[in-house]
C-alpha cells in the first residue's frame, strides 16, 4: 500500500481504529471512487474471538459511484439527513456513505495540494534560473555606454537608499497586482499603464462630449445650464480624509465580490423574494425568503435595528457609462441626488479600475443620507463601493457597509445605520437610454425616528429604491429639457447662472432642514417652542453666498390630509401665495422668468415679483425652484435683490449672491390605517401605495432660515426664537385653512 492510499482515508472525524482494523484484515484501502464496504459488527466480533481472516471485499457498483459523485458536486458536506437518504437510495450503510465523502474530500484536497506543489516547483525553478542569470551578469558587468567591461565602483548612500526604496515599491506593486487578479478574472501586469489619479475631472459632464448624451453628438461641449456638477459653485468643498487607517484590503475585495454577487441575484429574482405593491410599482423584500437565500457579509444585525429593503426598475434617458462615472465620483454623486445625500467623500481608492469604464474600481466612502424632515436623523454610513462591467453595455455598482471589525477607526463613528448590498444594475437599451434596476437594503436604528415618520421609513418610501430612481429620472429629464429650450429675454449663459444659484439655494435649504454636517449648527432648546419643531443657529462670517451674521433655522413636519398633487399645486401657485406667504404683502405674485426643468409645468426655476408697500421692497424679487415626482415634491424660495439677479442673468458669478432659503418639502404619507404593514382587519401584510386607498394624505415639512442679527458675534435672543416659531405655526395654520376652504 502506498502513502497516497493511506492519506486518502483520513478525513474529518474519521475513525482511526477503522484504518487499523482494515490493515489487520488485509483489505485494500483505496482513495479513488471504487470504495469498500465496512465490516459488519458480527464480523468484527468474530475477528476478536477467532483467528483473523481476510474479509470479503465489495466494490461499489458504477451506479452507486455515479450517484455519490453527482451528489458530491452539489453538496460535498452532507448532513445526517442527507446521508440517510443516500444510504436508503443506494443500499449502503450510513457509515459507508460518511466515510466515502470523507475520503472524497481528502482526495480532492490532496489533488489540489499536488497541483499547487507543481506550480510552486515551476516558480522555484524559474526563480533559480533568474538568480543564476543575475549572478552571471554581476560577475561580468558590461558598460552601457561603451559596451566594454564595466569597472564596479562604490555607490553613494543616497543611491543605496533609492535602490532599497525601488525594491520596496516593486514588491508592493507585485502584491497589489496579485490582489487585483483575484477579482479581475485575468492577469494584470505590474508593468501596465499608469493608474490615473483619482478625481482628474470634478465636472459631471455625464459623458457629454466624451460618450454622447441621449444619442446627441455634442463633442467638445459641456453640460448646459449649471449642470456641470462638482465645479465648486454650488457644493461646498468636501476634502477626503487623509488615509491614515490600515485596512485589510484582501478582506475588502472578498466582501465586495460577495456584495456584487448578492446584488445581481437580488436584481434578477422576483417572487417570492420580492413582494410587489398593490399597483405593481415598488417591490418590498420578503425578509424570511432573503434569510433562506443569503447570508450576511457584514456580520449579524443589531437586535435594536429595523430592516428596510425595496427594488424598483425603470428607464432613464442617460447612457450607462455616463451614470457609472457619476456614481463613482463623490461630488457628482451628491449633486445628482442633492435632496437625498447631504455630503459624501472618498476616503480611500483601493483599486482605480481599468480604462474609462471604471471596471473593477473599488473605493471606501463616507456619506450622509437624508429625508427632508427634522424628525428623521441623518444616516451616516461608511461603506465600500465597487463597480463592475459584466458585459458590453451592462454595469453594476454596489455599496456595502464596512464591518466594524474590519475598520481600524472608531467603530462608533457611524452608529445608526448599516448598508447591506445595495446599488443598481445598469443596462444600455439603445443610444439614448438605459434600463436601471435599483436595490436598496438597509438596517437602521428606528428608536430615534419620530412616530409620525416611522411608517414612511418602514414602508420603504423614505430611503427606498423608488426614490433614488425617481430622482435620477427627473434629473435626466431636466438635462434634456435644458439642452433644448430657448427662453426669450435671457441668454443661455444667464440661464446657466440662474440654475446654479437655484441649485445652491435648494442645497442650503436641505442642509438647514436635516442639520447635516456641512454647516455647524447649534441646537436650541426653548420652552415656548413645540417639541416637534427643531430650532438651530449658526454664525456666518466668511461665506459670501449668505448674509453675514447670526442665522436662525427652524423646521418641523406635520400630517396633511390632502394629496401631494393638491398641496404642491397650491404652494407653487403665485396667485394663491398671499394666502400663506408674508413676503407677498397680501397681494398677488407675478412670474417674470420661467425656466422649465422637467416635463411637468411645476418642475421649474422661476423669478417672482410681488406688489410692494414701500419703495425699498420694489428692489426685491423671489427666486423659486419647484419640482414634483413619485418620491415627493419641493418648493424652495429666497428673496434676492434686483441688482444681484441682473448680474446673474447677464452671466455674472452667482456664488456672490447672498440668500437664505425657506420652503416646503412634501413627502408621501401613510394614513393612520397603516400599522407597520398590517391591516387592521385581518393582520395581512399590505404595502402602502401612492395612488391607493392606504395613502390618503402627505407629510409637509416647513423650514425657514432667517438672519436675526447682522453681527456674527451677537447673542441670540429668546424673542427671535419665538418669532420664528410663530412664523412656522402661522404658516401651517394658513395653509390648512386655505386648503379647507378651496
Amino acid at each position: 500500500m502506498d502513502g497516497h492510499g493511506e492519506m486518502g482515508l483520513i478525513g474529518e472525524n474519521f475513525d482511526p481504529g477503522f484504518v487499523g482494523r482494515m490493515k489487520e484484515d488485509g483489505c485494500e484501502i483505496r482513495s479513488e471512487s471504487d470504495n469498500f464496504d465496512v465490516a459488519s459488527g458480527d464480523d468484527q466480533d468474530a475477528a476478536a474471538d477467532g483467528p483473523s481472516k481476510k474479509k470479503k471485499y465489495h466494490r461499489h457498483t458504477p451506479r452507486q459511484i455515479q450517484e455519490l459523485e453527482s451528489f458530491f458536486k452539489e453538496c460535498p458536506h452532507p448532513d445526517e439527513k442527507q446521508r440517510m437518504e443516500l444510504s436508503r437510495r443506494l443500499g449502503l450503510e450510513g457509515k459507508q456513505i460518511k466515510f466515502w465523502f470523507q475520503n472524497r474530500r481528502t482526495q480532492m484536497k490532496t489533488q489540489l495540494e499536488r497541483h499547487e506543489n507543481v506550480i510552486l516547483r515551476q516558480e522555484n525553478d524559474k526563480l533559480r534560473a533568474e538568480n543564476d542569470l543575475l549572478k552571471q551578469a554581476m560577475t561580468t558587468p558590461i558598460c552601457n555606454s561603451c559596451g566594454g567591461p564595466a569597472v564596479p565602483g562604490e555607490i553613494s548612500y543616497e543611491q543605496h537608499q533609492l535602490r532599497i526604496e525601488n525594491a520596496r515599491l516593486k514588491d508592493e506593486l507585485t502584491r497589489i497586482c496579485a490582489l487585483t487578479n483575484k477579482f479581475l478574472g485575468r492577469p494584470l501586469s505590474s508593468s501596465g499603464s499608469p493608474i490615473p489619479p483619482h478625481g482628474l475631472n470634478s465636472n459631471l459632464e455625464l459623458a457629454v462630449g466624451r460618450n454622447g448624451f441621449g444619442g446627441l453628438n455634442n463633442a467638445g461641449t459641456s453640460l448646459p445650464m449649471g449642470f456641470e456638477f462638482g465645479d465648486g459653485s454650488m457644493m461646498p468643498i468636501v476634502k477626503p480624509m487623509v488615509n491614515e487607517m490600515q485596512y485589510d484590503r484582501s478582506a475588502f475585495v472578498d466582501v465586495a465580490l460577495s456584495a456584487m454577487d448578492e446584488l445581481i441575484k437580488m436584481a434578477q429574482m422576483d417572487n417570492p423574494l420580492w413582494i410587489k405593491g398593490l399597483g405593481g410599482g415598488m417591490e418590498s423584500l420578503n425578509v424570511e425568503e432573503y434569510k433562506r437565500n443569503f447570508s450576511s457579509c457584514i456580520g449579524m444585525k443589531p437586535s435594536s435595528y429595523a430592516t428596510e429593503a425595496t427594488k424598483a426598475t425603470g428607464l432613464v434617458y442617460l447612457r450607462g457609462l455616463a451614470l457609472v462615472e457619476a456614481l463613482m465620483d463623490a461630488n457628482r454623486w451628491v449633486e445628482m441626488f442633492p435632496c437625498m445625500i447631504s455630503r459624501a467623500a472618498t476616503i480611500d481608492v483601493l483599486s482605480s479600475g481599468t480604462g474609462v469604464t471604471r471596471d473593477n474600481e473599488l473605493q471606501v466612502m463616507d456619506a450622509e443620507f437624508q429625508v427632508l424632515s427634522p424628525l428623521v436623523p441623518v444616516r451616516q454610513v461608511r461603506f465600500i463601493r465597487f463597480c463592475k462591467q459584466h458585459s458590453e453595455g451592462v454595469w453594476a455598482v454596489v455599496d456595502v457597509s464596512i464591518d466594524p471589525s474590519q475598520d481600524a477607526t472608531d467603530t462608533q463613528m457611524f452608529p445608526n445605520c448599516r448598508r447591506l448590498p445595495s446599488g443598481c444594475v445598469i443596462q444600455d437599451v439603445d443610444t439614448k437610454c438605459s434600463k436601471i434596476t435599483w436595490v436598496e437594503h438597509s438596517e437602521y436604528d428606528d428608536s430615534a425616528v419620530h412616530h409620525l415618520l416611522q411608517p414612511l421609513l418602514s414602508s420603504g418610501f423614505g430611503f427606498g429604491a423608488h426614490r433614488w430612481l425617481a430622482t435620477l429620472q427627473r434629473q435626466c429629464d431636466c438635462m434634456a429639457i435644458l439642452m433644448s429650450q430657448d427662453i426669450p429675454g435671457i441668454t443661455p449663459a444667464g440661464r446657466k447662472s440662474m440654475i446654479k444659484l437655484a441649485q445652491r439655494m435648494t442645497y442650503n435649504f436641505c442642509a438647514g432642514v436635516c442639520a447635516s454636517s456641512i454647516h455647524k449648527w447649534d441646537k436650541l432648546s426653548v420652552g415656548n417652542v413645540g417639541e416637534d419643531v427643531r430650532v438651530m443657529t449658526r454664525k456666518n462670517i466668511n461665506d459670501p453666498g449668505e448674509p453675514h451674521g447670526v442665522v436662525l433655522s427652524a423646521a418641523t413636519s406635520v400630517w396633511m390630509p390632502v394629496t401631494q398633487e393638491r398641496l404642491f399645486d397650491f404652494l407653487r401657485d403665485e396667485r394663491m401665495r398671499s394666502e400663506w406667504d408674508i413676503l407677498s404683502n397680501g397681494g398677488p405674485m407675478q412670474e417674470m422668468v420661467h425656466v422649465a426643468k422637467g416635463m411637468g409645468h411645476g418642475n421649474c426655476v422661476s423669478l417672482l415679483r410681488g406688489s410692494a408697500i414701500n419703495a425699498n421692497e420694489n428692489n426685491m424679487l423671489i427666486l423659486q425652484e419647484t419640482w414634483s415626482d413619485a418620491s415627493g415634491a419641493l418648493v424652495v424660495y429666497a428673496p434676492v435683490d434686483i441688482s444681484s439677479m441682473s448680474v446673474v442673468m447677464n452671466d455674472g458669478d452667482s456664488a456672490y449672491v447672498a440668500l437664505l432659503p425657506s420652503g416646503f418639502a412634501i413627502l408621501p404619507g401613510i394614513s393612520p390605517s397603516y400599522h407597520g404593514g398590517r391591516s387592521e382587519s385581518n393582520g395581512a401584510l399590505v404595502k402602502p401605495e401612492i395612488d391607493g386607498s392606504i395613502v390618503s394624505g402627505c407629510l409637509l415639512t416647513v423650514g425657514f432660515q432667517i438672519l436675526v442679527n447682522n453681527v456674527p458675534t451677537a447673542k441670540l435672543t429668546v424673542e427671535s426664537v419665538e418669532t420664528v416659531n410663530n412664523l412656522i405655526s402661522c404658516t401651517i395654520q394658513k395653509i390648512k385653512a386655505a386648503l379647507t376652504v378651496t
Side-chain angles (χ1 to χ4, degrees):
M1 183 190 333
D2 57 11
H4 174 60
E6 290 188 16
M7 185 183 300
L9 282 169
I10 301 173
E12 300 111 335
N13 303 318
F14 188 73
D15 182 7
F18 175 72
V19 178
R21 290 193 297 271
M22 295 297 292
K23 289 182 178 180
E24 293 173 0
D25 295 337
C27 291
E28 182 182 5
I29 301 175
R30 297 173 178 262
S31 61
E32 306 298 329
S33 297
D34 52 340
N35 287 343
F36 44 83
D37 282 339
V38 181
S40 66
D42 295 339
D43 292 337
Q44 294 176 9
D45 293 339
D49 297 336
S52 68
K53 61 181 179 179
K54 185 175 181 179
K55 299 295 185 297
K56 185 178 180 181
Y57 177 78
H58 296 283
R59 290 178 179 271
H60 292 336
T61 66
R63 185 187 71 84
Q64 290 173 333
I65 295 174
Q66 183 179 3
E67 289 279 348
L68 290 170
E69 289 286 356
S70 299
F71 196 90
F72 181 83
K73 292 179 181 178
E74 299 293 332
C75 180
H77 292 271
D79 55 24
E80 182 66 25
K81 184 178 179 181
Q82 292 170 320
R83 291 198 301 269
M84 293 301 295
E85 173 63 20
L86 283 172
S87 174
R88 183 192 62 78
R89 195 167 67 206
L90 301 179
L92 297 174
E93 295 183 8
K95 283 189 175 182
Q96 288 179 289
I97 299 294
K98 178 179 179 181
F99 294 152
W100 187 93
F101 275 90
Q102 288 177 349
N103 294 343
R104 190 68 180 86
R105 289 193 298 268
T106 304
Q107 175 192 352
M108 178 170 287
K109 181 179 178 182
T110 303
Q111 291 173 347
L112 290 175
E113 289 177 350
R114 186 182 297 112
H115 180 67
E116 290 177 359
N117 288 337
V118 171
I119 295 176
L120 290 175
R121 190 177 296 108
Q122 293 174 350
E123 290 291 332
N124 188 41
D125 294 340
K126 181 180 177 181
L127 290 174
R128 186 179 290 108
E130 291 178 355
N131 189 34
D132 293 339
L133 289 175
L134 289 174
K135 287 181 178 179
Q136 183 179 359
M138 292 176 64
T139 56
T140 58
I142 298 175
C143 179
N144 293 329
S145 300
C146 63
V151 180
E154 294 184 359
I155 62 173
S156 65
Y157 175 77
E158 289 77 10
Q159 289 177 315
H160 181 68
Q161 293 299 319
L162 287 174
R163 291 183 181 182
I164 294 176
E165 179 67 11
N166 187 43
R168 187 190 67 79
L169 291 175
K170 285 184 178 180
D171 181 68
E172 177 70 11
L173 181 58
T174 303
R175 188 186 65 82
I176 292 175
C177 290
L179 179 64
T180 309
N181 289 344
K182 190 172 183 179
F183 63 94
L184 276 179
R186 61 181 183 273
L188 178 66
S189 173
S190 60
S191 60
S193 58
I195 297 174
H198 177 67
L200 279 179
N201 183 7
S202 62
N203 293 336
L204 177 56
E205 297 175 355
L206 287 180
V208 174
R210 288 182 290 171
N211 307 301
F213 171 75
L216 302 175
N217 184 10
N218 295 308
T221 65
S222 60
L223 279 179
M225 312 318 143
F227 275 85
E228 294 175 354
F229 294 133
D231 61 0
S233 61
M234 186 191 87
M235 283 290 299
I237 297 176
V238 181
K239 296 182 179 180
M241 296 168 55
V242 178
N243 183 27
E244 297 178 350
M245 58 210 75
Q246 296 296 324
Y247 293 120
D248 184 355
R249 299 195 175 199
S250 60
F252 279 10
V253 170
D254 292 338
V255 172
L257 291 171
S258 298
M260 178 63 71
D261 181 64
E262 180 173 322
L263 174 68
I264 296 298
K265 290 179 179 178
M266 293 183 71
Q268 294 174 344
M269 296 173 71
D270 292 318
N271 190 50
L273 182 65
W274 295 103
I275 304 172
K276 289 187 178 294
L278 299 179
M282 183 177 64
E283 301 176 59
S284 300
L285 183 69
N286 183 336
V287 178
E288 295 302 322
E289 185 69 19
Y290 172 81
K291 291 179 180 178
R292 285 192 288 267
N293 286 275
F294 303 98
S295 58
S296 176
C297 56
I298 57 172
M300 297 293 293
K301 180 183 78 170
S303 58
S304 61
Y305 277 28
T307 300
E308 60 178 22
T310 54
K311 184 177 78 167
T313 303
L315 294 177
V316 299
Y317 287 97
L318 189 67
R319 296 295 303 276
L321 182 57
L323 178 56
V324 167
E325 291 179 347
L327 295 176
M328 299 307 294
D329 184 282
N331 285 339
R332 302 181 187 185
W333 181 45
V334 171
E335 293 199 19
M336 178 170 275
F337 303 95
C339 297
M340 304 179 65
I341 310 168
S342 58
R343 67 175 295 275
T346 301
I347 302 303
D348 197 1
V349 180
L350 304 181
S351 171
S352 59
T354 56
V356 297
T357 62
R358 304 276 190 165
D359 186 26
N360 292 303
E361 183 161 333
L362 184 62
Q363 302 177 359
V364 178
M365 302 181 73
D366 279 351
E368 293 181 1
F369 302 99
Q370 61 190 7
V371 168
L372 295 182
S373 171
L375 307 183
V376 179
V378 172
R379 293 185 177 180
Q380 299 174 313
V381 188
R382 175 165 293 171
F383 57 92
I384 302 169
R385 173 161 290 181
F386 180 44
C387 174
K388 178 72 176 176
Q389 183 176 13
H390 291 270
S391 60
E392 184 67 26
V394 179
W395 292 265
V397 179
V398 65
D399 298 343
V400 61
S401 286
I402 294 177
D403 190 338
S405 64
Q406 297 176 345
D407 193 348
T409 60
D410 184 5
T411 58
Q412 298 300 318
M413 186 175 181
F414 307 123
N416 65 346
C417 179
R418 300 188 339 148
R419 192 164 171 81
L420 277 73
S422 304
C424 57
V425 179
I426 308 162
Q427 181 179 2
D428 282 337
V429 176
D430 52 31
T431 59
K432 295 183 179 180
C433 63
S434 56
K435 177 184 177 182
I436 310 296
T437 302
W438 206 292
V439 175
E440 280 296 314
H441 191 185
S442 298
E443 296 169 346
Y444 66 99
D445 183 4
D446 64 345
S447 61
V449 180
H450 192 278
H451 66 86
L452 185 66
L453 276 295
Q454 285 181 350
L456 181 77
L457 269 62
S458 62
S459 63
F461 284 102
F463 294 93
H466 86 293
R467 189 179 174 211
W468 291 93
L469 185 58
T471 302
L472 178 61
Q473 290 172 329
R474 176 170 49 81
Q475 293 281 44
C476 294
D477 292 343
C478 172
M479 285 183 287
I481 292 293
L482 290 174
M483 293 174 68
S484 60
Q485 68 175 334
D486 187 17
I487 302 174
I490 180 172
T491 64
R495 183 175 33 169
K496 175 178 177 179
S497 295
M498 184 175 172
I499 292 293
K500 280 190 174 182
L501 183 60
Q503 287 176 331
R504 176 161 63 87
M505 176 183 68
T506 299
Y507 183 80
N508 287 341
F509 170 77
C510 297
V513 167
C514 301
S516 71
S517 62
I518 291 297
H519 297 299
K520 179 175 174 55
W521 293 98
D522 295 321
K523 188 175 180 181
L524 302 178
S525 297
V526 182
N528 295 333
V529 177
E531 62 177 9
D532 293 340
V533 179
R534 183 169 63 190
V535 181
M536 303 178 297
T537 182
R538 60 185 174 87
K539 298 176 180 180
N540 179 41
I541 300 176
N542 300 319
D543 187 358
E546 293 182 346
H548 290 185
V550 180
V551 178
L552 188 64
S553 173
T556 190
S557 295
V558 295
W559 169 262
M560 299 292 290
V562 295
T563 63
Q564 171 184 317
E565 292 78 10
R566 185 185 178 193
L567 181 57
F568 175 69
D569 289 339
F570 170 75
L571 293 174
R572 71 176 180 84
D573 189 349
E574 60 269 14
R575 296 169 299 177
M576 303 296 296
R577 199 177 187 97
S578 59
E579 297 289 335
W580 57 267
D581 188 7
I582 62 173
L583 295 177
S584 66
N585 296 318
M589 285 276 188
Q590 179 184 1
E591 187 178 58
M592 299 176 59
V593 179
H594 179 95
V595 180
K597 291 185 63 179
M599 304 301 294
H601 181 69
N603 293 356
C604 65
V605 173
S606 53
L607 205 57
L608 308 177
R609 187 169 188 173
S611 58
I613 297 178
N614 53 58
N616 291 332
E617 291 174 346
N618 264 326
N619 296 324
M620 297 303 296
L621 301 173
I622 300 294
L623 177 66
Q624 178 173 281
E625 179 174 10
T626 60
W627 57 257
S628 178
D629 59 26
S631 67
L634 194 72
V635 178
V636 182
Y637 61 92
V640 292
D641 60 85
I642 293 179
S643 60
S644 297
M645 285 306 303
S646 177
V647 172
V648 170
M649 296 175 68
N650 286 287
D651 194 21
D653 190 353
S654 62
Y656 292 93
V657 177
L659 52 78
L660 286 175
S662 300
F664 309 93
I666 306 173
L667 305 172
I670 314 301
S671 71
S673 63
Y674 178 77
H675 294 274
R678 303 280 172 181
S679 66
E680 289 182 323
S681 58
N682 58 8
L685 182 66
V686 294
K687 300 303 296 182
E689 290 294 321
I690 295 293
D691 55 354
S693 60
I694 300 178
V695 176
S696 58
C698 60
L699 291 166
L700 175 64
T701 295
V702 184
F704 289 100
Q705 293 186 41
I706 298 175
L707 182 70
V708 296
N709 199 309
N710 56 10
V711 179
T713 57
K715 292 185 178 181
L716 191 66
T717 63
V718 177
E719 290 77 11
S720 300
V721 177
E722 292 179 348
T723 299
V724 176
N725 182 56
N726 293 335
L727 176 61
I728 285 185
S729 301
C730 183
T731 302
I732 293 174
Q733 291 173 5
K734 287 183 176 181
I735 293 173
K736 288 183 176 180
L739 289 173
T740 302
V741 174
T742 56

